[in-house]
Amino acid sequence: MRIRNVLLVFLGAVCVVLVVFGTVRFQGRIEAAVLPPPSEVPAGFDDETNGLVPQGDHLFHKGQFDEVEGPEDGLGPLYNAQSCRECHQSVVSGAVSQVTELRAGHTGPHGHFVAANITIGDGAFTVLNRSLVNDRAICPNADFPDLSIQEHVPPAEHIRALRTSLNILGDGFVEAVADADLLAIAAKQRHETHGEVHGQAILVDVLEAPGTKRVGRFGWKDQHASLLSFSADAYLNEMGFTSRLLPDEVTTLCNPKGVQEPNDRLGTDGLFDIDHFTLFMRATKAPPRDEPLAATLDARIGSDLFDQVGCATCHVCSLTTVPPGTKINGGTFTVPDALGNKVFHPFSDFLLHHLGTGDGIVQNGGQETAQKLRTPPLWGVRTHSRLMHDGKSLNFHDAIERHRGEGKMATEKFNALSEEEKRRLITFLKSL
Ligand code: HEC
Ligand code: HEC
């Protein structure tokens, strides 16, 4: 009798355990299965948070992004500008500016691209193997009146390129797209165009998760996948600020004494500047459409024509972010509700393409990426005065005509449109 009771209690306990675990696992599946349809991301040129952080915090992080820094804070020795905003400003902080940057290098063994070597300080130091050439320097100055460290491109560095600034608004959503979705776009476009269009995804290092890689999506060469990685990169290469992720100065010539290394300071809130920049960018809203123009018949027909001639093969209209709770960037960032399961309209596939406009520069991809560029997202493109990576196209017609290589078929179909159809397609671009 006693043994039977013990057995029953034991079996009961086993059942309870099975039911509890079963329900938990089952619920997990239900949750995945009943994930609501993705919601539209908020859009606006209004300096408002997308919901990731409260508005007050967003403005505080924006203040760090806007802050003008000096040599006493860590600026330089070589740099391009004094604040992030200087190159990401029109029409609000985080958007674009007309600024271009200089890159250089030369052809090495086997015809491979080799980044520039630039000697500065009258031969005192050589900046080795770096394609970015900084346009500004902090000396000569009162402490180093005779030391000139301004970089100049030597004749031997015969590959030279200009790159325009890029929009950052809405990039938190771009960061939250799964690698698999970008790879699926690449496969789809290759299939649908019988290989004529074959966007390339490259795997790049996530600096904050050493040893891990992710599909690159930021920068003209898809050189980064994470906004924190990009922040550290930009802080060093645009402003000369070292940080925990990139602690080495490009040169220590005329580096002011008494400035802490890494330069990036811990704020009163326990976050570093690169964390503030990242939070600012992740919390930005997407660039909004010109809604009245988008609603016109011209723009709506233009949108259809954009799809029909094949622009949308690369300038992909809609992407969806991963479900909230998904870990990305090598497990260092858990996508929150404000960024997860959202649909947005960047008009890009974030892949590298050969368009015949290539600048010959290799960054984080292999040598085969030298002549390729990332499809620039067209959201907010109506606010750009100069188009294409080099800023050399000054209107939409010019930009379209430069699409050769993988874009040739679309250009030919565009050219075959009637004048009215072309005008409508351009009207659609003006509404973005
Ligand atoms: C001197 C101008 C300049 C400054 C200053 C600058 N940027 Fe940029 N930014 C650029 C340019 C140019 C690009 C495109 C770079 C490329 O791919 O060649 C860019 C691209 C980016 C991108 C990639 C956007 C995308 O969607 O692909 C991010 C993110 C970014 N910058 C963040 C920052 C942050 C954060 C700062 C401040 C630490 C900063 N930038 C300072 C000029 C600048
Ligand atoms: C094969 C992929 C592909 C196709 C198809 C394509 N584009 Fe592009 N587009 C790109 C790439 C890559 C660039 C950047 C090239 C560069 O900077 O040199 C670009 C640049 C642009 C730009 C400049 C954006 C900026 O911010 O500077 C516009 C505008 C544009 N494309 C519109 C179109 C239109 C309109 C069509 C259809 C007629 C089209 N594209 C078809 C890949 C494509």
Side-chain angles (χ1 to χ4, degrees):
M1 195 62 179
R2 280 210 0 240
I3 291 178
R4 228 183 82 191
N5 281 350
V6 171
L7 256 178
L8 277 177
V9 169
F10 177 73
L11 279 175
V14 167
C15 286
V16 168
V17 168
L18 282 178
V19 166
V20 167
F21 274 95
T23 315
V24 168
R25 291 193 47 210
F26 189 56
Q27 265 180 356
R29 252 177 266 146
I30 286 184
E31 272 169 26
V34 297
L35 195 68
S39 54
E40 285 283 335
V41 303
F45 288 134
D46 54 12
D47 290 333
E48 280 182 16
T49 172
N50 61 24
L52 176 74
V53 298
Q55 180 62 12
D57 293 6
H58 185 53
L59 291 179
F60 177 74
H61 301 144
K62 175 179 166 290
Q64 311 288 314
F65 186 87
D66 291 352
E67 190 181 352
V68 174
E69 311 265 14
E72 64 285 4
D73 304 311
L75 184 77
L78 297 168
Y79 70 104
N80 280 334
Q82 304 167 84
S83 79
C84 302
R85 180 180 62 181
E86 218 168 313
C87 307
H88 298 283
Q89 189 271 327
S90 174
V91 291
V92 290
S93 286
V96 284
S97 294
Q98 79 287 5
V99 181
T100 49
E101 284 177 10
L102 181 58
R103 288 189 181 265
H106 59 273
T107 315
H110 315 296
H112 283 185
F113 172 79
V114 181
N117 300 323
I118 298 184
T119 301
I120 54 173
D122 281 334
F125 185 81
T126 301
V127 181
L128 279 175
N129 195 20
R130 182 171 184 253
S131 70
L132 187 71
V133 183
N134 286 124
D135 282 303
R136 303 186 201 177
I138 61 166
C139 65
N141 58 27
D143 293 335
F144 302 92
D146 301 320
L147 186 57
S148 176
I149 63 163
Q150 177 54 51
E151 290 189 286
H152 298 281
V153 178
E157 306 296 344
H158 62 93
I159 300 171
R160 292 109 193 243
L162 288 178
R163 296 261 185 87
T164 64
S165 168
L166 287 165
N167 165 75
I168 289 168
L169 303 176
D171 272 358
F173 304 110
V174 179
E175 187 180 37
V177 171
D179 282 4
D181 288 355
L182 299 179
L183 295 170
I185 294 174
K188 182 166 173 263
Q189 66 187 194
R190 192 182 286 259
H191 177 73
E192 285 177 352
T193 65
H194 306 290
E196 168 130 0
V197 179
H198 45 269
Q200 182 186 357
I202 57 166
L203 286 174
V204 298
D205 291 336
V206 178
L207 301 184
E208 63 271 33
T212 65
K213 289 188 184 285
R214 212 178 164 225
V215 172
R217 60 205 63 200
F218 297 120
W220 282 103
K221 291 276 179 178
D222 273 339
Q223 57 265 40
H224 283 294
S226 134
L227 289 174
L228 183 57
S229 298
F230 213 118
S231 295
D233 185 332
Y235 215 17
L236 179 66
N237 290 306
E238 309 291 7
M239 297 174 62
F241 275 75
T242 51
S243 66
R244 68 176 186 277
L245 296 180
L246 293 173
D248 300 321
E249 292 281 5
V250 174
T251 177
T252 50
L253 282 186
C254 93
N255 204 22
K257 292 197 176 50
V259 176
Q260 70 168 50
E261 291 285 348
N263 305 143
D264 192 3
R265 288 172 309 262
L266 192 63
T268 46
D269 57 356
L271 297 175
F272 287 93
D273 284 349
I274 55 171
D275 304 310
H276 292 130
F277 304 151
T278 304
L279 278 168
F280 167 67
M281 298 192 284
R282 282 183 182 152
T284 52
K285 291 183 179 179
R289 294 285 300 270
D290 177 338
E291 293 297 348
L293 188 59
T296 61
L297 188 64
D298 277 353
R300 281 186 287 130
I301 294 176
S303 169
D304 291 342
L305 291 167
F306 182 85
D307 295 352
Q308 279 164 31
V309 303
C311 310
T313 308
C314 302
H315 296 282
V316 176
C317 171
S318 301
L319 291 177
T320 304
T321 62
V322 294
T326 310
K327 285 190 187 311
I328 60 170
N329 294 345
T332 55
F333 180 50
T334 304
V335 174
D337 286 341
L339 301 177
N341 195 31
K342 294 275 183 290
V343 63
F344 63 106
H345 311 289
F347 296 93
S348 177
D349 55 6
F350 299 95
L351 302 169
L352 296 176
H353 293 276
H354 193 294
L355 232 63
T357 53
D359 60 6
I361 309 271
V362 175
Q363 286 175 243
N364 295 344
Q367 287 292 332
E368 73 272 28
T369 61
Q371 301 300 343
K372 293 185 179 183
L373 290 154
R374 177 194 73 167
T375 309
L378 297 180
W379 55 5
V381 75
R382 71 181 184 283
T383 65
H384 302 203
S385 59
R386 307 177 193 191
L387 301 169
M388 310 292 270
H389 71 279
D390 50 13
K392 282 189 183 150
S393 304
L394 302 182
N395 57 54
F396 290 132
H397 268 110
D398 290 358
I400 294 170
E401 289 313 320
R402 284 177 72 195
H403 284 59
R404 304 286 154 180
E406 291 179 53
K408 185 164 160 269
M409 202 148 66
T411 311
E412 281 169 1
K413 285 191 187 155
F414 174 81
N415 286 334
L417 296 176
S418 71
E419 286 310 309
E420 188 183 38
E421 286 171 327
K422 283 184 193 163
R423 187 181 54 75
R424 286 177 153 159
L425 194 150
I426 302 274
T427 303
F428 164 68
L429 293 177
K430 287 180 181 164
S431 77
L432 294 177

